[in-house]
Each structure stands twice: as structure tokens, then as C-alpha cells.
Amino acid sequence: MKSDLNAKIFHDIFQNYPSPVFITNRNVEIIYWNNEAEKVSNTKNGLLKVRGGEALYCINVDSKHRCGEAEACKKCLIRNSVNNAIQGKSTVRIKAKLELKKPDGGKRNFYALVTTSPIFSEAEVLVLLVIEDINEIVEINELIPICAWCKKIWNDKDYWDSVEKYLNSHLDLSFSHGICPDCFEKLKNKIETS
């Protein structure tokens, strides 16, 4: 009875993890997946035996190439991470820039933390593959267009926002306000001379 309860708990944790989680074989064919993985997938008939690049809209998958068949696949961070986990028999975690297709056929960059960890079974070594979205973190590390005079930030909706509003909307940060010693002296001097 206890092992049934443990199996249910692990199943629920796996299914409700907030990032896409896959279990794949060495060819990055999906054997099992969680609810979040199904939400981001490129297939309507389930993911069983679908290759990772096909499920994630990889730009190298097209009418001529399946996932793993294009020349660019030799440098695929996910594929290489899966192979490294299998060969090294240890967990591999890397930051990756994935180039994915948009529904309109264009290309988008997707930044992720890719974690692979081997799972040893009697039949073969499988890999736990977790893809965590870090786009917001990477976006904040990129150059941000800021006005040299008023310090407002040009946002992705073609509008100038205050620094506080921009950081609140992108990182959910809140601010309190104070005055630094240099500005206090300037303000004090300005008040005294008026």
C-alpha cells in the first residue's frame, strides 16, 4: 500500500511540475512527458516516440529532416546534453539558446536551462529532460534602451516606461523611494539658495 502511495505522489509531482519534463531515450525520442510538455508540444496525437526537436518546433526540423538528421543537429545542445548524461551517467545542466519556429513560420529565440539526468532501467538508460524557461532573466541581462535624459525605458510595446514600471512588469519587482546623500546635498543647496 505504501509503495502505491509513493508511486502516486511521484506521478503527481512529475505531472504538475511547472516546466516541460520529458523522459527520452538516447535518440531523444520521448517515452513519457508531463502536462506542461504537452502544452508546448508541436503534435496533436501525443508525444510517444516523437523526437524532442519535433515536439519543440526546432527550426532544423523540416520536410527533408527529422530531429537529429540535419547537419545542425550535431551541435544541438539538447541532443548533446542527453548523450552526455547517458555517457557520463550524471546530471548535466546547461543554459541554452534554442532557435524555434513561430506558428507563422518565423524564428524565435528561446532561452532555457536544460537539465538532463540518466534514469537506469533494466532495458536501457533513459534520460530525464527538463526545459526551464529563462527568457525573462536573459531579457533583463540584454541591453535595454533607456533615455539619457529622463531615464525612461523603451518597452516592447513601443512606449516609454519609467524604470520602476518596466522592472515591475518584467521581474515583478516593487520599489520604495528615498534620496541618496549626493542628491540630498544638491536639493538642500538648491532650497537654501532659493
Side-chain angles (χ1 to χ4, degrees), residues 11-79:
H11 176 268
D12 289 349
I13 290 169
F14 182 85
Q15 284 302 328
N16 295 304
Y17 193 76
S19 295
V21 181
F22 306 91
I23 295 177
T24 75
N25 62 18
R26 73 174 56 249
N27 200 28
V28 197
E29 291 175 325
I30 299 166
I31 307 300
Y32 196 66
W33 59 94
N34 72 349
N35 294 327
E36 203 60 34
E38 195 161 303
K39 288 179 191 175
V40 301
S41 76
N42 183 24
T43 180
K44 296 179 182 19
N45 300 325
L47 295 169
L48 186 62
K49 294 293 185 178
V50 171
R51 293 181 184 180
E54 293 158 6
L56 297 171
Y57 301 92
C58 176
I59 63 164
N60 297 306
V61 174
D62 56 29
S63 60
K64 297 176 187 167
H65 302 98
R66 289 192 66 204
C67 173
E69 295 176 351
E71 185 64 30
C73 296
K74 292 176 184 173
K75 296 180 183 176
C76 175
L77 295 172
I78 291 176
R79 183 167 291 282

Side-chain angles (χ1 to χ4, degrees), residues 82-97:
V82 165
N83 288 330
N84 289 338
I86 288 172
Q87 292 168 3
K89 298 188 176 20
S90 64
T91 299
V92 177
R93 187 172 174 100
I94 57 169
K95 184 173 107 177
K97 175 183 165 187

Side-chain angles (χ1 to χ4, degrees), residues 4-15:
D4 289 343
L5 178 61
N6 287 342
K8 169 127 177 55
I9 290 170
F10 286 120
H11 176 268
D12 289 349
I13 290 169
F14 182 85
Q15 284 302 328

Side-chain angles (χ1 to χ4, degrees):
M1 187 70 172
K2 187 176 179 180
S3 66
D4 289 343
L5 178 61
N6 287 342
K8 169 127 177 55
I9 290 170
F10 286 120
H11 176 268
D12 289 349
I13 290 169
F14 182 85
Q15 284 302 328
N16 295 304
Y17 193 76
S19 295
V21 181
F22 306 91
I23 295 177
T24 75
N25 62 18
R26 73 174 56 249
N27 200 28
V28 197
E29 291 175 325
I30 299 166
I31 307 300
Y32 196 66
W33 59 94
N34 72 349
N35 294 327
E36 203 60 34
E38 195 161 303
K39 288 179 191 175
V40 301
S41 76
N42 183 24
T43 180
K44 296 179 182 19
N45 300 325
L47 295 169
L48 186 62
K49 294 293 185 178
V50 171
R51 293 181 184 180
E54 293 158 6
L56 297 171
Y57 301 92
C58 176
I59 63 164
N60 297 306
V61 174
D62 56 29
S63 60
K64 297 176 187 167
H65 302 98
R66 289 192 66 204
C67 173
E69 295 176 351
E71 185 64 30
C73 296
K74 292 176 184 173
K75 296 180 183 176
C76 175
L77 295 172
I78 291 176
R79 183 167 291 282
N80 289 332
S81 184
V82 165
N83 288 330
N84 289 338
I86 288 172
Q87 292 168 3
K89 298 188 176 20
S90 64
T91 299
V92 177
R93 187 172 174 100
I94 57 169
K95 184 173 107 177
K97 175 183 165 187
L98 308 174
E99 293 181 317
L100 306 176
K101 291 178 194 169
K102 289 182 179 178
D104 65 7
K107 179 179 93 169
R108 71 181 178 103
N109 291 330
F110 180 81
Y111 295 92
L113 278 179
V114 176
T115 304
T116 53
S117 185
I119 302 171
F120 303 100
S121 71
E122 292 174 15
E124 65 180 319
V125 178
L126 299 175
V127 174
L128 178 73
L129 168 62
V130 181
I131 301 175
E132 297 172 81
D133 181 348
I134 60 169
N135 281 298
E136 287 181 354
I137 296 167
V138 170
E139 183 179 296
I140 209 66
N141 283 328
E142 294 178 350
L143 289 177
I144 299 172
I146 187 167
C147 175
W149 184 256
C150 72
K151 306 300 183 206
K152 287 184 181 174
I153 295 174
W154 186 251
N155 68 23
D156 53 0
K157 294 177 179 73
D158 296 335
Y159 183 76
W160 291 97
D161 278 335
S162 68
V163 170
E164 294 93 339
K165 185 175 179 183
Y166 181 87
L167 292 175
N168 180 266
S169 68
H170 283 76
L171 294 175
D172 198 25
L173 293 174
S174 298
F175 292 85
S176 65
H177 290 85
I179 188 164
C180 74
D182 292 342
C183 290
F184 177 76
E185 284 301 316
K186 290 176 189 173
L187 183 61
K188 185 175 123 185
N189 290 339
K190 189 174 185 179
I191 291 172
E192 288 174 353
T193 58
S194 327

